[in-house]
Amino acid sequence: MLGPADIADWDADETDRLRAEIRLLPIMRRIRDEPHAARKALGPALAARLDGFRRDARRPADELNRLLEDLRRIHA
């Protein structure tokens, strides 16, 4: 499994790094373990965006970056 140091050194495509960062967020574990509570914490719009990411993570870098920022903001 990747860790924060691995992500900082990622030399591949920016979208690969963003997808990895999103997948490492605690909310991803919570949505797997406690889907109803996680969706409630995220709200309907952000939960829908995260569901879309989980179905197909191949998104443009700007969309992934916005999702990552929004998920971090919710976590903070």
Side-chain angles (χ1 to χ4, degrees):
M1 180 166 184
L2 293 174
D6 298 317
I7 288 174
D9 294 333
W10 199 292
D11 289 332
D13 184 59
E14 176 74 3
T15 57
D16 289 336
R17 183 188 62 78
L18 290 167
R19 282 190 290 270
E21 283 195 61
I22 291 169
R23 288 181 177 127
L24 286 172
L25 292 173
I27 191 65
M28 296 303 282
R29 285 188 304 277
R30 188 168 183 209
I31 204 144
R32 183 190 67 227
D33 297 340
E34 305 172 38
H36 296 295
R39 288 187 197 315
K40 186 176 179 181
L42 291 172
L46 188 52
R49 289 171 54 205
L50 188 56
D51 286 341
F53 171 81
R54 292 176 70 212
R55 280 191 306 276
D56 181 10
R58 291 170 296 173
R59 310 276 176 172
D62 61 326
E63 184 179 333
L64 292 171
N65 198 36
R66 283 192 308 272
L67 178 60
L68 179 60
E69 289 174 9
D70 292 343
L71 290 170
R72 282 180 175 158
R73 195 171 310 133
I74 290 293
H75 182 66

